[in-house]
């Protein structure tokens, strides 16, 4: 275990500077262009959540950072100095897939990876306890559920004493209480040890711990900023309960179901009145503060669509009608 | 356990450490050995399978008054047969499982020397092969077989086992890379072992079974190793035993050929682990 003084010293050592800088990263797999010039920076002590829908390129980008895939173009540099493969002793990675050996016990798996990582520690024992796995650590992983195997992989990855964690969909297969444990652990690493985290996710709950959110879609970064800032930039969110409005009245011609309500984005707040007028009187129609789920839906599914719509509108209407609220970062808007 | 990874000064970037090669190699060896010792299938393939064939052969094909030499030569052939089967079946499955299950994506994110991975696998495979080999010979000895080792056995027995193990491991890595389904590997390993065994006249112990000139039994790695070990373990006359012709590979040139198999097997293994598993990482 690492004592408190050691943690404090490491936190101080890690208190400043760039941890990861990726610029114009490109990758084509087969005939599909998966990454199209991705830029991303992570500063020391920062938790960055890379979000996007399935197939956005999140895991591929993380694999490029982790050195398990080689990018076709662009540059990835750690600590202003190291290429991914040279920096492997400075980060710890949890990737998707069956990385734990099903024929070893949970404890044996963690010990195996502890031996392989230059910064491996036995802190996986404490993490296993927090993940409520202690009683199962002597069973072979082949007998685990998907969630239990995932917790072993996370306990192993998070036990390394490194300044950077690269976590691919860590929330996948975790229940809500374990997701909270994971979030607490990541926040503790940031606050007490000055560690940085890059995690990919399509779980809006992960946005809660982010210092910065980066949205990736079709291999391009569409938004990058602190969660509060991105929430502030969202178009007005309309909540409808008790009726189903026409999708075409929303940004991107799309509304999103959430429980017993439908939510969609409006070009402007006054559009709500027109929608309300078309719905039954007993329907609840109101502007609602945006949630992280709204944020995810907007940038994961609509940002590019709206951009396309806006570009089309530019050619058919007056230039003033385009507000340029969204589009690929760095694109001409 | 505290670690060595740290920034020496807050103004300087941290310096990545590497795990000592020996620690990595041992981690891989320990991992495979742990899996081996708790697998009933491995125990069966290493011990039950060759001993069952040995028992059947003695009961069905050898006369009741078969001499100690006959029993011993059959034991040597099945000792190699068992080692080959278990190494190919187990390690092809393990390699394919690592490739198929995504573990190599995790390994590639760690500063692992591919040669340490290979060395760990090889140590575990060698332990398994030696165990299987020794058990068959010991059981045969306990049930009537006799050996009269020459002085050369001190060098030849380990060398033949080593070369055989390297060749079997290289073959298992090729299979693991080509056939990405670990669940097929036990069957494939057994079938390959049987083919090698029969097409070389019981691993070269009965070359008279082969219709044409059986010169190749002194060349192919399975029969060469078996025949070299026969020569090493029996200091006697092989006339009328079915082992000849050709003459047993007793010359230094055959030792060189065995060494060449070790070199080629290691080269193939290193290439596969480095290129296929670690995507071009330096050793």
């Amino acid at each position: 275990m690492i004592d408190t003084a050691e943690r404090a010293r490491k936190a101080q050592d890690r208190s400043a500077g760039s941890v990861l800088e990726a610029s114009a990263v490109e990758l084509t797999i087969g005939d599909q262009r998966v990454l199209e010039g991705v830029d991303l920076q992570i500063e020391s002590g920062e938790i960055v959540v890379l979000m996007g829908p399935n197939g956005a390129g999140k895991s591929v980008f993380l694999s490029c950072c982790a050195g398990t895939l080689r990018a076709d173009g662009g540059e990835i540099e750690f600590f202003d100095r190291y290429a991914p493969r040279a920096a492997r002793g400075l980060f710890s990675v949890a990737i998707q897939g069956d990385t734990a050996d099903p024929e070893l016990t949970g404890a044996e798996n963690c010990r195996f990876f502890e031996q392989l990582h230059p910064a491996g520690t036995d802190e996986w024992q404490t993490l296993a306890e927090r993940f409520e796995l202690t009683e199962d650590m002597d069973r072979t992983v082949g007998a685990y559920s998907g969630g239990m195997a995932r917790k072993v992989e996370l306990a192993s990855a998070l036990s390394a004493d490194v300044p950077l964690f690269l976590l691919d969909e860590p929330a996948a297969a975790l229940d809500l209480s374990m997701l909270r444990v994971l979030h607490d652990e990541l926040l503790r690493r940031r606050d007490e040890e000055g560690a940085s985290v890059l995690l990919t996710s399509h779980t809006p709950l992960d946005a809660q711990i982010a210092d910065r959110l980066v949205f990736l879609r079709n291999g391009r970064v569409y938004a990058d900023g602190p969660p509060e800032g991105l929430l502030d930039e969202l178009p007005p969110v309309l909540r409808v309960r008790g009726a189903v409005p026409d999708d075409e009245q929303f940004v991107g011609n799309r509304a999103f179901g959430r429980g017993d309500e439908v939510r969609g984005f409006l070009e402007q707040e006054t559009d709500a009145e027109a929608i309300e007028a078309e719905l039954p009187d007993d329907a609840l129609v109101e502007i609602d503060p945006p949630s992280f789920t709204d944020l995810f839906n907007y940038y994961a599914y609509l940002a590019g669509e709206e951009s396309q719509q806006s570009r089309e509108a530019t050619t058919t209407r007056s230039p003033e009608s385009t507000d340029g609220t969204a589009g690929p970062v760095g694109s001409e808007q | 356990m505290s670690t060595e990874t740290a920034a020496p000064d807050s103004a300087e970037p941290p310096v990545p450490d590497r795990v000592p090669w020996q620690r990595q190699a041992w981690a891989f060896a320990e991992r495979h050995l742990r899996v081996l010792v708790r697998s009933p299938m491995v125990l069966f393939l290493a011990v039950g399978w060759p001993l069952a064939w040995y028992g059947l052969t003695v009961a069905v094909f050898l006369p009741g008054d078969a001499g100690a030499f006959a029993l011993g030569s059959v034991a040597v052939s099945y000792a190699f047969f068992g080692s080959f089967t278990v190494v190919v079946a187990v390690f092809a499955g393990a390699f394919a499982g690592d490739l198929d299950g995504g573990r190599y994506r995790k390994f590639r994110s760690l500063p692992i020397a591919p040669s340490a991975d290979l060395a760990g696998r090889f140590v575990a495979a060698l332990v398994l092969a030696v165990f299987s080999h020794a058990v068959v010979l010991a059981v045969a000895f306990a049930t009537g077989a006799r050996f009269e080792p020459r002085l050369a056995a001190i060098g030849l027995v380990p060398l033949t086992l080593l070369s055989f193990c390297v060749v079997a491991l290289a073959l298992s890595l090729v299979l693991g890379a080509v056939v990405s389904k670990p669940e097929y590997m036990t069957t494939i390993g057994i079938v390959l072992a049987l083919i090698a065994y029969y097409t070389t006249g019981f691993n070269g112990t009965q070359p008279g079974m082969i219709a044409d000139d059986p010169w190749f039994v002194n060349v192919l790695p399975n029969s060469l190793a078996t025949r070299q070990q026969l020569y090493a373990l029996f200091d006697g006359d092989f006339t009328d035993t079915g082992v000849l012709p050709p003459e047993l590979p007793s010359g230094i040139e055959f030792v060189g050929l065995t060494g060449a198999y070790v070199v080629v097997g290691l080269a193939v293994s290193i290439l596969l682990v480095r290129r296929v598993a670690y995507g071009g990482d330096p050793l």
Side-chain angles (χ1 to χ4, degrees):
Chain A
M1 297 290 173
I2 305 162
D3 62 30
T4 309
E6 177 76 358
R7 286 186 198 287
R9 188 185 66 74
K10 285 178 185 291
Q12 189 175 12
D13 287 342
R14 296 167 182 171
S15 63
S18 168
V19 170
L20 166 65
E21 179 146 7
S23 54
V25 176
E26 296 178 354
L27 181 63
T28 300
I29 298 176
D31 57 357
Q32 190 182 358
R33 203 161 159 76
V34 183
L35 300 176
E36 298 191 23
V38 176
D39 296 325
L40 182 81
Q41 293 79 37
I42 301 178
E43 297 297 316
S44 179
E46 195 175 31
I47 296 178
V48 175
V49 177
L50 183 60
M51 305 195 94
N54 292 328
K58 308 182 298 292
S59 298
V60 170
F61 176 71
L62 190 125
S63 295
C64 290
C65 293
T68 62
L69 277 178
R70 290 181 200 274
D72 296 335
E75 193 173 9
I76 299 173
E77 196 173 61
F78 292 87
F79 302 98
D80 298 320
R81 181 175 294 189
Y82 304 111
R85 293 204 168 199
R88 286 178 294 183
L90 294 172
F91 55 67
S92 182
V93 180
I95 60 172
Q96 291 189 79
D98 302 322
T99 60
D101 189 332
E103 296 180 84
L104 293 179
T105 67
E108 288 166 350
N109 267 290
C110 289
R111 203 169 294 118
F112 173 59
F113 285 108
E114 176 193 337
Q115 288 177 304
L116 291 179
H117 200 297
T121 78
D122 60 2
E123 200 166 330
W124 53 265
Q125 296 177 49
T126 309
L127 290 162
E129 199 174 326
R130 288 185 192 150
F131 283 129
E132 299 176 6
L133 265 184
T134 305
E135 289 178 8
D136 297 300
M137 288 299 273
D138 291 328
R139 290 170 57 207
T140 53
V141 169
Y144 283 13
S145 67
M148 291 165 72
R150 188 66 179 146
K151 287 190 277 188
V152 164
E153 289 160 359
L154 286 171
S156 172
L158 293 173
S159 66
D161 181 28
V162 288
L164 174 64
F165 294 94
L166 303 174
L167 311 175
D168 192 11
E169 305 274 6
L174 295 187
D175 60 41
L176 281 178
S177 67
M178 289 302 113
L179 185 60
R180 175 68 63 192
V181 172
L182 172 67
H183 285 175
D184 289 347
E185 186 59 28
L186 295 178
L187 291 170
R188 187 184 69 76
R189 292 301 172 96
R190 180 194 66 184
D191 297 339
E192 294 181 12
E193 300 173 18
S196 308
V197 179
L198 171 62
L199 72 87
T200 66
S201 174
H202 50 226
T203 304
L205 284 173
D206 282 334
Q208 292 175 349
I209 60 164
D211 295 309
R212 249 176 54 234
L213 289 174
V214 177
F215 281 93
L216 199 63
R217 185 171 170 222
N218 296 329
R220 304 178 77 177
V221 173
Y222 271 82
D224 181 347
E228 299 75 20
L230 292 176
L231 282 170
D232 289 344
E233 290 174 11
L234 280 185
V237 176
L238 187 74
R239 180 169 73 143
V240 178
R241 188 177 285 173
V244 179
D246 186 354
D247 283 357
E248 291 184 3
Q249 293 170 301
F250 296 105
V251 170
N253 298 326
R254 185 165 178 179
F256 299 88
R258 191 175 80 175
D260 62 348
E261 65 185 38
V262 174
R263 300 170 75 87
F265 299 93
L266 302 176
E267 291 283 2
Q268 48 196 349
E269 235 172 86
T270 50
D271 291 347
E273 294 162 13
I275 294 173
E276 188 172 16
E278 292 179 9
L279 296 176
D281 291 343
D282 59 347
L284 171 71
V285 180
E286 63 181 6
I287 299 292
D288 200 35
S291 65
F292 284 125
T293 304
D294 295 323
L295 188 67
F296 179 85
N297 287 337
Y298 182 75
Y299 284 109
Y301 299 109
L302 297 180
E305 299 294 325
E306 191 211 36
S307 172
Q308 180 63 30
Q309 281 187 336
S310 298
R311 280 195 290 275
E312 287 170 0
T314 307
T315 62
T316 56
R317 289 186 285 172
S318 66
E320 289 78 11
S321 63
T322 57
D323 58 12
T325 50
V329 169
S331 65
E332 290 181 9
Q333 284 285 309
Chain B
M1 178 187 133
S2 71
T3 66
E4 297 152 4
T5 301
D9 186 292
S10 59
E12 289 292 318
V15 179
D17 288 324
R18 289 190 72 88
V19 173
W21 187 91
Q22 295 91 329
R23 191 171 112 190
Q24 290 185 343
W26 174 243
F28 278 101
E30 187 183 24
R31 170 195 171 208
H32 290 296
L33 288 171
R34 281 185 189 281
V35 172
L36 296 181
V37 297
R38 63 169 63 118
S39 167
M41 175 58 83
V42 171
L43 191 66
F44 169 73
L45 285 176
V47 177
W49 179 247
L51 282 179
W53 280 95
Y54 174 72
L56 276 172
T57 302
V58 170
V60 176
F61 295 111
L62 292 187
D65 59 349
F69 168 82
L71 292 171
S73 66
V74 170
V76 170
S77 73
Y78 281 119
F80 277 108
F81 170 77
S83 302
F84 182 84
T85 307
V86 75
V87 168
V88 171
V90 171
F91 285 89
F95 189 56
D98 283 346
L99 289 172
D100 186 48
R103 268 182 292 286
Y104 267 110
R105 285 194 296 131
K106 171 79 174 180
F107 292 160
R108 284 198 292 269
S109 76
L110 292 160
I112 294 172
S115 57
D117 177 342
L118 182 62
R121 282 178 200 273
F122 179 70
V123 167
L126 192 60
V127 168
L128 184 63
V130 169
F131 170 71
S132 172
H133 203 88
V135 166
V136 174
L137 294 187
V139 169
F141 185 79
T143 55
R146 289 293 174 266
F147 308 101
E148 298 167 25
R150 300 171 197 259
L151 190 59
I154 297 170
L156 269 181
V157 170
L159 177 68
T160 50
L161 259 176
L162 179 78
S163 73
F164 196 72
C165 196
V166 168
V167 169
L169 184 65
L171 180 63
S172 73
L173 295 178
V174 170
L175 283 173
V178 173
V179 185
S180 60
K181 299 294 179 192
E183 62 270 24
Y184 298 154
M185 291 307 173
T186 304
T187 306
I188 292 173
I190 289 171
V191 168
L192 282 177
L194 285 170
I195 290 172
Y197 184 78
Y198 282 106
T199 55
T200 54
F202 298 168
N203 269 353
T205 56
Q206 293 297 315
M209 291 174 59
I210 298 163
D212 294 325
D213 181 3
W215 60 271
F216 56 84
V217 294
N218 280 348
V219 175
L220 294 177
N222 61 318
S223 50
L224 173 62
T226 306
R227 290 169 65 80
Q228 278 180 309
Q229 205 164 101
L230 280 182
Y231 169 78
L233 291 177
F234 298 97
D235 188 3
D237 183 10
F238 288 89
T239 309
D240 298 328
T241 60
V243 175
L244 310 177
E247 287 299 311
L248 283 173
S250 57
I252 191 72
E253 67 274 21
F254 292 105
V255 175
L257 182 57
T258 302
Y261 279 127
V262 172
V263 172
V264 171
L266 281 177
V268 169
S269 302
I270 288 169
L271 189 73
L272 279 170
V273 170
R274 192 179 151 189
R275 291 284 172 196
V276 177
Y278 285 92
D281 258 3
L283 287 176

